[in-house]
Amino acid sequence: MSQTKKSILNANYVKLPGSYLFSDIAKRVQQYVSTHPDNQVIRLGIGDVTRPLAAVVIEAMHKAVDEMGSIASFRGYGPEQGYDFLRQAISEYDYANRNVAIALDEIFVSDGSKCDCGNITELFSNEAIVAVCDPVYPVYVDTNAMIGRAGEFDISEGKWTNLIYMPCVKENGFLPQLPSEDDSNKIPDLIYLCFPNNPSGTAIGFEDLKKWVDFANKNNSIILYDSAYEAFISENLPHSIFEIPGAKTCAIEFRSYSKTAGFTGTRCAYTVIPKELVRDGVSLNSMWNRRQTTKFNGTPYITQRGAEATYSEEGQKEIKETIAYYMKNAQIIRQGLIDCGFEVYGGVNAPYIWLKTPDGMTSWGFFDFLIEKAEVVGTPGSGFGPSGEGYFRLTSFGSLENTVKAIDRIKQKFQNIS
Ligand code: MLT
């Protein structure tokens, strides 16, 4: 008797198109480098930092390593939610200093915002309607697809059938518009917002963010707010969604030391879930606590001591100097591109510069052109969603020397494109 064999695989993974954006780019760059081994490619693609950790962070981590080597101060499993010394520093410096009261048990320290943004999807039903910006950090989309909430991938549209895409384009200043409330079945339950934005570098003001908080409270939606780039804000803008009245009943915030303090390789972040955030009588804070205590054994003590050191006077001084270094790069990229006649956005409150590709080139067409003609790597806008087509992202996380070199090369190729 012949039987159809059941599949034991998660079919949602099979539906995912291609590979993860940055793995795809790395593969293409590797291919180029292997065929041009003598050439010097400058990587301004993935937003990975290049400056070393602050001296006080290193000192704190060395001290923590020594503690681990002595029987009197050795530590085994730490609290899954993070040590109180770090949660206290977060509550005080990142929130109380901005007049926001966040209790220690509303803070969950982790090994990265990418993981938290992905893992948070577990708390919600597959019926939940998800809205994302377009273009968007691909992790929000792909992790919802992996869990089966995104529907099917429509190749012709470059979109998932069950997701609501909120175009962020030149015409709306790269800010998402509030979803329509006409059909209650189509109001998003989960809304991903990232400000300052990856990839467009756009920031949001207090009034605009308040509109989202009011919308979410009115419609029982939850905003998943990624503020990984808040340290790059140079103007008077909200650093946290909790600076907006009413946000505690409708938002979860993700924060990271990756870009703020150079921890992309060291791994430390945190997620804030206010106790007021309750749906169907259930506290999201308790759900996340249950999830973390079951699936996560905490961020290493040594790493958390390093993160704590970023809040010291010297730590703040050093990380601010590093951020200023990257923002100087951003300024060099912006100005260099403007001088060539490119249409340029971002780079003022964010480490990302978002540019319109010249002569109607596609994003991937420009990627190939730039690597071949200038040996500079960036990220194609279309990799972040269909509305990113015709755009391109450069990061300011390279060294000053390479940034200057990259812009000089681009200038030579694109002098006066307008
Ligand atoms: C990016 O380049 O968009 C970032 O590196 C992504 C990330 O933080 O994972």
Side-chain angles (χ1 to χ4, degrees):
M1 198 170 65
S2 79
Q3 267 185 340
T4 330
K5 200 167 176 306
K6 69 174 184 199
S7 172
I8 57 161
L9 302 180
N10 177 349
N12 302 313
Y13 273 69
V14 182
K15 294 182 195 169
L16 289 167
S19 54
Y20 181 61
L21 174 62
F22 292 105
S23 321
D24 203 12
I25 293 173
K27 245 186 271 161
R28 288 187 185 224
V29 174
Q30 194 42 47
Q31 247 163 29
Y32 182 84
V33 170
S34 63
T35 49
H36 304 78
D38 298 330
N39 301 14
Q40 276 215 324
V41 170
I42 299 175
R43 292 171 168 82
L44 302 181
I46 189 164
D48 194 6
V49 295
T50 52
R51 305 295 295 162
L53 295 173
V56 280
V57 169
I58 294 297
E59 200 183 309
M61 290 173 83
H62 278 165
K63 187 163 167 267
V65 168
D66 289 341
E67 284 178 53
M68 296 298 270
S70 148
I71 197 151
S73 49
F74 171 77
R75 305 205 184 210
Y77 291 127
E80 296 93 340
Q81 305 83 352
Y83 283 100
D84 277 358
F85 61 76
L86 180 55
R87 296 164 100 196
Q88 185 64 49
I90 292 167
S91 166
E92 210 173 306
Y93 291 95
D94 289 343
Y95 292 103
N97 280 356
R98 295 195 182 277
N99 298 318
V100 177
I102 295 291
L104 266 53
D105 58 1
E106 294 176 310
I107 299 166
F108 297 85
V109 177
S110 75
D111 58 355
S113 275
K114 185 177 182 175
C115 325
D116 286 354
C117 288
N119 293 332
I120 204 84
T121 58
E122 284 178 26
L123 302 195
F124 306 102
S125 126
N126 272 12
E127 305 308 307
I129 300 174
V130 176
V132 292
C133 293
D134 173 22
V136 67
Y137 179 41
V139 171
Y140 315 146
V141 170
D142 289 4
T143 54
N144 275 288
M146 286 169 173
I147 209 160
R149 197 177 290 127
E152 305 297 323
F153 188 67
D154 178 342
I155 296 181
S156 62
E157 293 269 316
K159 290 181 180 176
W160 289 86
T161 50
N162 288 358
L163 298 185
I164 296 176
Y165 288 80
M166 304 182 289
C168 299
V169 289
K170 185 179 160 183
E171 290 68 32
N172 57 28
F174 300 98
L175 285 176
Q177 305 301 290
L178 292 176
S180 154
E181 291 172 86
D182 294 348
D183 180 350
S184 62
N185 292 322
K186 290 194 177 148
I187 294 179
D189 301 298
L190 303 175
I191 303 166
Y192 285 85
L193 295 179
C194 170
F195 288 110
N197 186 256
N198 178 15
S200 72
T202 311
I204 196 165
F206 288 92
E207 276 180 27
D208 281 329
L209 190 51
K210 181 159 188 322
K211 288 182 194 155
W212 284 96
V213 168
D214 292 346
F215 175 93
N217 277 324
K218 182 173 166 212
N219 293 294
N220 248 350
S221 316
I222 293 179
I223 299 174
L224 300 169
Y225 195 75
D226 185 347
S227 57
Y229 300 97
E230 60 77 31
F232 296 84
I233 291 175
S234 64
E235 297 173 322
N236 180 28
L237 299 165
H239 287 245
S240 161
I241 193 165
F242 300 120
E243 288 178 72
I244 310 296
K248 284 187 177 177
T249 48
C250 68
I252 292 176
E253 178 159 283
F254 304 98
R255 286 276 190 112
S256 168
Y257 297 92
S258 284
K259 316 293 157 75
T260 307
F263 274 54
T264 52
T266 306
R267 310 305 302 148
C268 195
Y270 64 87
T271 290
V272 174
I273 310 190
K275 279 175 278 190
E276 288 97 315
L277 184 62
V278 173
R279 291 291 180 274
D280 309 327
V282 180
S283 151
L284 276 282
N285 178 294
S286 303
M287 284 177 82
W288 187 243
N289 192 53
R290 183 71 170 85
R291 192 258 170 218
Q292 291 297 81
T293 49
T294 307
K295 295 196 179 183
F296 184 58
N297 259 337
T299 309
Y301 172 69
I302 299 161
T303 309
Q304 291 192 57
R305 279 296 185 199
E308 181 197 22
T310 65
Y311 295 103
S312 64
E313 206 180 314
E314 188 53 32
Q316 284 293 297
K317 186 172 158 278
E318 286 191 52
I319 64 172
K320 281 183 180 144
E321 278 166 12
T322 302
I323 286 166
Y325 175 100
Y326 292 135
M327 291 313 279
K328 185 176 170 197
N329 287 348
Q331 171 59 19
I332 290 168
I333 299 172
R334 262 183 73 85
Q335 199 51 54
L337 295 172
I338 290 169
D339 292 347
C340 291
F342 280 95
E343 219 178 287
V344 183
Y345 306 93
V348 174
N349 293 295
Y352 295 123
I353 290 89
W354 189 239
L355 59 120
K356 183 101 195 76
T357 56
D359 305 326
M361 266 189 214
T362 65
S363 301
W364 277 107
F366 188 63
F367 174 90
D368 290 336
F369 191 81
L370 204 59
I371 195 167
E372 273 159 31
K373 303 288 179 215
E375 308 210 295
V376 173
V377 177
T379 309
S382 56
F384 297 100
S387 297
E389 182 55 279
Y391 285 88
F392 200 77
R393 193 193 77 176
L394 290 174
T395 95
S396 63
F397 287 123
S399 67
L400 173 62
E401 191 194 0
N402 275 347
T403 302
V404 169
K405 219 187 273 177
I407 290 304
D408 281 348
R409 289 184 192 173
I410 292 175
K411 274 186 171 169
Q412 278 171 25
K413 299 293 161 199
F414 296 97
Q415 209 52 271
N416 297 323
I417 55 165
S418 57

